[in-house]
Amino acid sequence: MDPLTTALTKIDALHSEDPNKLTDTNIPYELHYAEKMTSYLYKHTPNPSPVLQLAIRAQHLKRWEVPRGTYPDGKIGYYSWRTAVARRQAEIAMKVCLESGIGEAEAERVGRLIRKEGLKGGEDAEAQILEDVACLVFLDDQFEKFQENYDDNKVVDILTKTLKKMSERGKELAMGLKMEGRPHELVTRAVNGA
């Protein structure tokens, strides 16, 4: 196998270790998430670079090993956790890349993308694509359950912030997602306010 295929196969093997399974299919959740990320990557960008393919596939690599509950509640705890797991995921992905024959510069770039370096200010177009794809997967795969836990105004606020992080291409894809009922109404409110 070529280094890209080898690395992607090893990443998926690590995802398959996730003890959290989807109830309807028994697929490890992180493998499901990685497959969704890859699917949305190709909807967003038909010919992504190998480095972007790796970063997208490894974005939540072994995240289940550091649960959100291991950090304090609240915004500071959340951001501390998110930064720590991104760093950890990047390190694991870089190691997999190097072991698979990916060059050092490319492996380091995968790590920077997973840590979302260069996202602010639009410095890095591939970091923006990764952010768009992560937002699309959230909206498609996690939003319906997420929105059940908050009142309308809180959800609209979160959605508005999410949409502001997305490129025009990302927003275009988000508007094409099929949603019904309350989720659709909340997304529509956020779009009109974003």
Side-chain angles (χ1 to χ4, degrees):
M1 284 191 291
D2 64 280
L4 173 62
T5 304
T6 300
L8 290 170
T9 300
K10 287 182 177 185
I11 287 166
D12 281 352
L14 292 172
H15 287 318
S16 294
E17 295 173 7
D18 183 358
N20 304 299
K21 310 281 192 224
L22 295 177
T23 54
D24 55 338
T25 61
N26 208 34
I27 294 173
Y29 179 76
E30 290 304 341
L31 181 60
H32 164 80
Y33 180 86
E35 289 170 348
K36 283 266 191 187
M37 290 287 289
T38 297
S39 173
Y40 274 103
L41 169 62
Y42 282 96
K43 289 176 185 174
H44 189 292
T45 305
N47 296 303
S49 73
V51 167
L52 183 56
Q53 291 177 55
L54 288 163
I56 288 282
R57 198 71 178 191
Q59 201 231 354
H60 278 185
L61 196 54
K62 296 182 76 91
R63 181 176 270 199
W64 75 87
E65 292 183 342
V66 185
R68 169 64 183 95
T70 59
Y71 280 74
D73 289 339
K75 192 182 275 190
I76 293 172
Y78 171 74
Y79 287 116
S80 297
W81 169 76
R82 194 175 74 177
T83 300
V85 293
R87 240 184 270 124
R88 182 178 185 270
Q89 291 156 185
E91 288 170 12
I92 296 167
M94 290 166 54
K95 183 178 179 205
V96 169
C97 287
L98 293 170
E99 289 171 353
S100 301
I102 303 288
E104 190 172 329
E106 290 82 8
E108 288 178 9
R109 174 109 174 95
V110 169
R112 285 194 304 275
L113 286 170
I114 291 170
R115 291 186 302 269
K116 297 184 183 177
E117 293 176 9
L119 180 60
K120 294 196 188 227
E123 302 164 18
D124 189 327
E126 288 188 320
Q128 182 60 60
I129 293 169
L130 190 145
E131 181 69 19
D132 284 354
V133 169
C135 291
L136 288 164
V137 172
F138 165 72
L139 290 169
D140 178 45
D141 196 54
Q142 302 160 346
F143 176 64
E144 190 168 332
K145 184 173 181 175
F146 172 85
Q147 59 87 32
E148 293 171 354
N149 299 315
Y150 302 97
D151 67 47
D152 288 4
N153 290 336
K154 177 72 172 171
V155 175
V156 169
D157 182 55
I158 291 167
L159 284 171
T160 301
K161 290 174 183 171
T162 298
L163 290 167
K164 285 181 180 177
K165 295 189 293 184
M166 298 176 78
S167 70
E168 290 306 311
R169 174 68 180 143
K171 289 177 188 176
E172 175 187 319
L173 289 168
M175 295 307 99
L177 294 174
K178 303 250 187 266
M179 290 186 192
E180 297 177 0
R182 182 176 186 246
H184 175 73
E185 291 168 19
L186 295 173
V187 170
T188 301
R189 278 182 54 192
V191 167
N192 292 333

